[in-house]
Amino acid sequence: MDLQRRIIEGRGEFLLFALTPPRQTASAERAQEIADITAERLRPVGVDGLILYDIDDESDRNPAERPFPFLPTMDPADYLSRHFDGWDTPVVVYRSVGKYPEPDFDAWLRAQDTDRRLSVFVGAASRDTPVATSLARAHALRSQTRPDLLLGGVAIPERHARTGDEHLRLLRKQAGGCSFFVTQVVYDVNAAKNLVSDYRYECLAQGVTPAPIVFTFSVCGSMKTLEFLRWLGVDVPRWISNELLHADDTLEASFEYALAAARELITYCRRLGVPFGLNVESVSIRRAEIEASVDLAAQLRDELHRSD
Amino acid sequence: MDLQRRIIEGRGEFLLFALTPPRQTASAERAQEIADITAERLRPVGVDGLILYDIDDESDRNPAERPFPFLPTMDPADYLSRHFDGWDTPVVVYRSVGKYPEPDFDAWLRAQDTDRRLSVFVGAASRDTPVATSLARAHALRSQTRPDLLLGGVAIPERHARTGDEHLRLLRKQAGGCSFFVTQVVYDVNAAKNLVSDYRYECLAQGVTPAPIVFTFSVCGSMKTLEFLRWLGVDVPRWISNELLHADDTLEASFEYALAAARELITYCRRLGVPFGLNVESVSIRRAEIEASVDLAAQLRDELHRSD
C-alpha cells in the first residue's frame, strides 16, 4: 500500500525521512554526490516517503541568536528535480510559499506528478516578513488547479500547550484541504498526547474522520544541537535535557529517548484510533548524527503494523 | 526492613496508604467502626506505613468554590491514639502546626514513640491564615526535643513546573531536618520527572544523598472527584481528563492511569538512583473508590523490589 493510500484511507502506520537540501553554495557535482550518498544510506531502511524541507532564515520569528548560522539552502523543488528525481518513493516537498511569485508557484503546482509528489505549504515565519504569495492564496491555487495534490499541514503541540486551540486549527486546515499533518520534532510526549487527544475528541464531536498525524523525531548528539532544537521552538522537558547533559553518550541517550517517545505515541494513537505516521529528521550535519538518524528510522520501521 | 530504615538508609521501595480521619461530628463508636473497617481492608495489602492527613479548610488558599463542601475532620493525632493505636505499622501523622498552641504541640512531640510515629509538618495554607505555631518554630521544637522523630516534607511537582526551584526548596527542607518527601497526587508524570531529575542533579552538585520521594497516586471515579483534584492543585493533563471524561468506566480508567504513572516513575527513579516510596490516597468517600484505592495499593505492592 503506498503512502497516498495510507493517507487518504486514514490507515497511517507509515514512515518518512526528512532531508534538508544542500547549501546553495554547493556545486551541481557536490549536490549530486550528496544526493547519491543519501539515497544509498536510506534505501535499505524502506521508508514510505521522503520530506524535503524548505529552509527559511527564521530570524524574523526568533530574535535570539541562532545556535547554528543560517546558510541558505537549495530550493527543495530544484534539488529534487535535478538531483533526486530517480528516488522511488513519493516525496513531500515543503514550500515556503511567500518566497515565490504567484506565476512561478502556479507553474510548479501544474508540473507536479501527484503520484510521486505531495506538499506542505508553509507561511511566513512572522507577520513582518514580506510575502510574494500568501498561504491563503497558495491553498486557493492548489484547490483550483491541482486538487489531487495531497497537502499536509503543520501541527505544533508546543503551541497547543500555550493556546489550547491547536486542535481547532488542525480542523480548519483539514477543511481547507489538508489530508495529513506533520509535527515539528517531538521531545515533549505529554504535549503531543494532549494535542492528539483534543483533536480526536473534536473530530468525534464534529463528525470528521481524523487525518494522519506524522510525528517527527530526531536524535541530538550535543548540547549545541539541543540548543538549536530549542531555538526552533521545540520544548525539551527538563528531565530529558538533564539526562542529555549528563549522559556519557548524548547521541545514544537521545536515540533511546526518541525511540521511547515514538513507542509511547504509537501505542497511544492506536488505542485512540487516530492514524499516525512517523518522521525522522536529521537536525545536524554531523556524520554520526546522520547515521544515528538512519538507524532510528530503521528501528521505527519495525514498530509499524504493516499487515497489507 | 522497617519503614524508618528504608528512609534513613535511602533504600526507598516502600508503600504507604493515606487516610483522612473521620468527620468531627462522628461519635466515638462510629469513629471506632470506621477505624476497624479500614484496618480490616488494609491488613491484607501489607503496607509499610500509613499516612494520616490533617485536613484544613483551604479556602484561604483557593478562593474558587470547593467541589466537595469542607467538613471538619478529627485531629489525626487524636484519631490515631483513640481508635487506631493497635495498627502494627508506623504511621506518618500530618500536623497543620498553625492550629496548635506551642505547649500543646510540644507535649504531642514529647509523647511520640519514634519507632511507631513519623510526621510531616504543614504550614499555613496562605500568608493570611493566622497561626498559633509557625512552621519554622515547629521545626525548631522538633530539633530540640525530638530530633529522632523522622520528618517528611511536602514536594509539589506542579510548583516546580511554575517556578523551577522546587528542587532547591527540597534541599533546604532536607538541611532543616526532613529525611523524606511526599508529593500531592501525581497525574502529570512529566512534571514529577522534571522535579526528580533537577533534585537528583542538584544533590549530586551539592554532595548530598537524595532522600526518598514518596509519590502519591489516587483513583478518580467521577468528574466531580477530578474537579476536586484540580481544586487541590493537581495538574491533570488534558489527554488524561479527556480519557476519563469519555471512558465507559471512569474509575477503572483512572486506576490504569495511576498504575501506569507509578510504573513510569518507579522505572525512572531506579534508573536515576533516586530512592522512592509510593503512597495511595483515597480522595473520595465513595465505597467503590475506596475499594479501588486498596486494590491499587495491592498492585503497587507487587511492583516494589523487596529483596531484604
Side-chain angles (χ1 to χ4, degrees):
Chain A
M1 183 182 277
D2 67 13
L3 176 63
Q4 282 89 337
R5 273 187 59 206
R6 289 193 171 275
I7 290 172
I8 294 168
E9 297 179 8
R11 294 281 289 267
E13 304 272 352
F14 56 82
L15 175 67
L16 306 177
F17 195 96
L19 303 173
T20 301
R23 292 178 193 167
Q24 268 178 15
T25 52
S27 64
E29 293 69 33
R30 181 62 192 139
Q32 191 57 54
E33 214 173 273
I34 291 171
D36 293 343
I37 294 172
T38 305
E40 196 180 324
R41 274 201 186 110
L42 285 177
R43 198 154 284 125
V45 177
V47 298
D48 296 291
L50 295 183
I51 285 179
L52 271 179
Y53 286 131
D54 197 351
I55 304 297
D56 243 342
D57 178 6
E58 296 193 45
S59 54
D60 281 356
R61 182 186 57 79
N62 187 346
E65 198 191 342
R66 204 178 195 273
F68 295 113
F70 174 67
L71 297 168
T73 52
M74 289 183 179
D75 183 272
D78 292 346
Y79 177 58
L80 182 58
S81 62
R82 287 178 199 154
H83 303 290
F84 229 92
D85 201 52
W87 180 258
D88 58 1
T89 73
V91 178
V92 183
V93 186
Y94 272 54
R95 310 253 63 191
S96 288
V97 296
K99 294 199 292 193
Y100 310 98
E102 186 172 316
D104 295 0
F105 184 73
D106 195 46
W108 175 81
L109 266 180
R110 288 175 192 275
Q112 297 313 299
D113 170 0
T114 56
D115 285 343
R116 302 177 63 217
R117 302 290 176 251
L118 303 82
S119 191
V120 170
F121 298 165
V122 183
S126 89
R127 281 173 201 187
D128 302 329
T129 313
V131 296
T133 301
S134 73
L135 193 56
R137 185 66 193 138
H139 278 278
L141 283 172
R142 176 249 171 204
S143 297
Q144 282 161 31
T145 65
R146 298 309 303 267
D148 52 331
L149 178 73
L150 285 190
L151 210 61
V154 171
I156 304 185
E158 281 84 353
R159 189 158 57 194
H160 195 55
R162 288 194 306 275
T163 65
D165 65 356
E166 184 74 1
H167 60 306
L168 302 177
R169 206 185 277 248
L170 298 191
L171 276 152
R172 280 199 300 274
K173 288 180 182 177
Q174 209 169 332
C178 286
S179 50
F180 64 103
F181 299 102
V182 186
T183 72
Q184 56 184 9
V185 171
V186 173
Y187 272 77
D188 188 343
V189 173
N190 197 53
K193 284 164 96 165
N194 286 339
L195 174 56
V196 171
S197 176
D198 280 339
Y199 172 65
R200 194 264 194 205
Y201 287 110
E202 190 64 30
C203 282
L204 204 65
Q206 297 192 13
V208 172
T209 305
I213 300 178
V214 181
F215 300 103
T216 301
F217 302 96
S218 81
V219 298
C220 168
S222 69
M223 286 302 110
K224 185 104 178 180
T225 304
L226 186 69
E227 205 188 319
F228 183 53
L229 284 166
R230 288 209 161 113
W231 186 89
L232 288 170
V234 176
D235 281 353
V236 181
R238 288 284 301 172
W239 68 272
I240 296 181
S241 62
N242 283 345
E243 292 304 300
L244 294 180
L245 184 61
H246 292 90
D248 291 333
D249 185 334
T250 303
L251 185 59
E252 192 181 295
S254 76
F255 185 100
E256 293 304 323
Y257 286 121
L259 191 57
R263 285 179 174 151
E264 189 171 343
L265 285 169
I266 289 171
T267 305
Y268 184 67
C269 287
R270 282 187 190 139
R271 191 154 59 76
L272 229 59
V274 172
F276 66 91
L278 306 174
N279 174 35
V280 175
E281 174 180 351
S282 185
V283 174
S284 148
I285 54 164
R286 282 182 52 224
R287 190 190 169 125
E289 295 189 45
I290 296 171
E291 286 173 355
S293 303
V294 176
D295 289 348
L296 178 62
Q299 282 254 21
L300 292 180
R301 185 73 179 69
D302 293 340
E303 300 287 333
L304 297 173
H305 286 174
R306 310 282 292 218
S307 51
D308 61 291
Chain B
M1 183 183 275
D2 66 13
L3 177 63
Q4 282 89 337
R5 273 187 60 205
R6 290 193 171 276
I7 290 172
I8 293 168
E9 296 179 8
R11 295 280 289 267
E13 304 272 351
F14 56 82
L15 176 67
L16 306 178
F17 194 95
L19 304 172
T20 301
R23 292 177 193 165
Q24 270 179 14
T25 52
S27 65
E29 293 68 36
R30 181 61 191 141
Q32 190 58 51
E33 214 174 274
I34 292 172
D36 293 343
I37 295 172
T38 306
E40 197 179 327
R41 273 200 185 110
L42 285 177
R43 198 153 285 126
V45 177
V47 298
D48 296 291
L50 295 182
I51 285 179
L52 271 179
Y53 287 131
D54 197 352
I55 305 295
D56 244 341
D57 178 5
E58 298 193 44
S59 54
D60 282 357
R61 181 185 58 78
N62 187 345
E65 199 190 341
R66 204 179 195 274
F68 295 112
F70 173 68
L71 298 168
T73 51
M74 290 183 178
D75 183 272
D78 291 346
Y79 177 57
L80 182 59
S81 61
R82 288 179 198 155
H83 304 289
F84 228 92
D85 200 52
W87 181 259
D88 59 0
T89 74
V91 178
V92 182
V93 186
Y94 272 54
R95 311 253 62 191
S96 289
V97 296
K99 295 198 292 191
Y100 309 98
E102 187 173 316
D104 296 359
F105 185 71
D106 195 46
W108 175 81
L109 266 180
R110 288 174 193 275
Q112 297 313 299
D113 170 1
T114 56
D115 284 343
R116 302 177 63 218
R117 301 292 176 251
L118 303 81
S119 191
V120 169
F121 298 166
V122 182
S126 89
R127 281 174 200 186
D128 303 328
T129 313
V131 295
T133 301
S134 73
L135 194 55
R137 185 65 193 140
H139 278 278
L141 283 171
R142 175 251 173 203
S143 297
Q144 281 161 32
T145 65
R146 297 311 300 268
D148 51 330
L149 178 73
L150 284 190
L151 210 61
V154 171
I156 304 184
E158 282 83 352
R159 189 158 56 194
H160 195 55
R162 289 194 306 275
T163 66
D165 65 356
E166 185 73 1
H167 60 307
L168 301 177
R169 208 185 277 249
L170 299 191
L171 276 152
R172 280 198 299 275
K173 288 180 181 176
Q174 209 169 333
C178 286
S179 50
F180 64 102
F181 300 102
V182 186
T183 71
Q184 55 184 10
V185 171
V186 173
Y187 272 77
D188 187 344
V189 173
N190 196 53
K193 284 164 97 167
N194 286 340
L195 174 57
V196 171
S197 176
D198 280 339
Y199 172 64
R200 194 265 195 204
Y201 287 110
E202 189 64 29
C203 281
L204 204 65
Q206 297 192 14
V208 172
T209 305
I213 300 177
V214 181
F215 300 104
T216 300
F217 302 95
S218 80
V219 298
C220 167
S222 69
M223 286 301 112
K224 185 105 178 178
T225 303
L226 186 69
E227 204 188 319
F228 183 52
L229 284 166
R230 288 208 161 113
W231 187 88
L232 289 170
V234 176
D235 280 355
V236 182
R238 288 283 302 172
W239 70 271
I240 295 182
S241 62
N242 283 345
E243 291 304 300
L244 294 180
L245 184 61
H246 291 90
D248 292 333
D249 184 333
T250 303
L251 185 58
E252 193 182 293
S254 76
F255 186 100
E256 293 305 323
Y257 286 123
L259 191 57
R263 285 179 175 148
E264 188 171 345
L265 284 169
I266 289 171
T267 305
Y268 184 67
C269 287
R270 282 187 190 140
R271 191 154 57 77
L272 229 59
V274 173
F276 66 90
L278 306 174
N279 175 35
V280 175
E281 174 179 351
S282 184
V283 173
S284 148
I285 55 164
R286 280 183 53 226
R287 190 189 169 124
E289 297 190 44
I290 295 171
E291 286 173 356
S293 302
V294 175
D295 289 348
L296 178 62
Q299 282 254 21
L300 291 181
R301 185 71 180 68
D302 293 340
E303 300 287 332
L304 296 173
H305 285 174
R306 309 283 293 220
S307 51
D308 63 292

